Amino acid sequence: MSTESQDGTDLEERVNNFLRRNFPQIQMHGGTAAIQSIDRESGEVHLQLGGACSGCGISPMTIQAIKSRMTKEIPEVETVHAEAGMGGDGGSSGMSPSFPGEETSDDGGDEDEGPQAPF
């Protein structure tokens, strides 16, 4: 089975072009999107978002948009797996987003009211 489409473009190249064309904000905001693997037989693409995407609060929305749009725009892609972070440790880069006034220690309380306003 050929890895090239009808127009002769390799699948990996088309995935990279898709990311550059549809998500320039990733790079503009200091993030990266890298292909970890492509399984042409199953149509699975594994992506890793890094740089400023690690710990970014809107990374889940970016990932969801990539998953939704890539499967629609590239017929050979059936499933997209993506995560933000450096990988190897559950997708965490060792940094997590924090908010002013947020308590970071676990005090064992049963209620989580979210971060407190700094004023």
Side-chain angles (χ1 to χ4, degrees), residues 8-61:
T9 307
D10 179 76
L11 182 57
E12 183 173 350
E13 183 180 337
R14 287 187 295 131
V15 169
N16 276 321
N17 287 339
F18 167 86
L19 290 169
R20 278 194 300 271
R21 185 178 67 251
N22 290 293
F23 296 94
Q25 66 271 29
I26 291 173
Q27 188 173 15
M28 289 176 2
H29 292 159
T32 59
I35 298 171
Q36 297 300 299
S37 66
I38 295 178
D39 184 333
R40 288 166 176 84
E41 295 296 320
S42 68
E44 290 185 70
V45 175
H46 292 263
L47 302 174
Q48 181 72 42
L49 276 69
C53 293
S54 300
C56 176
I58 65 167
S59 288
M61 289 184 284

